[in-house]
Amino acid sequence: MSGAGAVAGEKGSSTTKTPADFLKSIRGRPVVVKLNSGVDYRGILACLDGYMNIAMEQTEEYVNGQLKNKYGDAFIRGNNVLYISTSKRTLAEGA
């Protein structure tokens, strides 16, 4: 049993990224933040903390897939966040 765990650890150690690694790597990049309410915020991830409180720049608010508002800076309380995803399209393309 311990042998299987060691193999899994060795196999994943060089290729596995932790969630913390992912979050560090996307700072300064376009992201989509989906809230528990279903609202999406798309913009540049400025920073976040251990509670998942998020600061974003050039933020756009989408409700049911439709652009509702644009904000310069936005702050989102972490307990409202369902997930954070990297944006596949740039903001200029109208993600």
Side-chain angles (χ1 to χ4, degrees):
M1 181 133 160
S2 63
V7 171
E10 290 171 14
K11 186 176 183 182
S13 63
S14 63
T15 58
T16 303
K17 278 179 86 170
T18 66
D21 292 335
F22 168 72
L23 293 171
K24 286 178 191 173
S25 73
I26 63 171
R27 281 201 355 220
R29 294 181 49 200
V31 295
V32 176
V33 177
K34 184 148 187 112
L35 303 188
N36 296 326
S37 65
V39 176
D40 289 351
Y41 288 91
R42 301 176 190 180
I44 307 299
L45 180 65
C47 62
L48 73 155
D49 64 13
Y51 295 101
M52 295 294 287
N53 295 317
I54 298 169
M56 297 175 68
E57 299 170 343
Q58 303 173 31
T59 309
E60 298 175 339
E61 178 183 47
Y62 287 83
V63 178
N64 297 324
Q66 295 185 346
L67 179 63
K68 291 294 180 186
N69 212 336
K70 291 186 178 186
Y71 305 102
D73 294 330
F75 300 93
I76 301 171
R77 185 173 168 167
N79 69 330
N80 295 311
V81 176
L82 183 61
Y83 67 77
I84 302 173
S85 174
T86 55
S87 180
K88 294 200 180 345
R89 293 176 249 167
T90 64
L91 295 174
E93 292 175 16

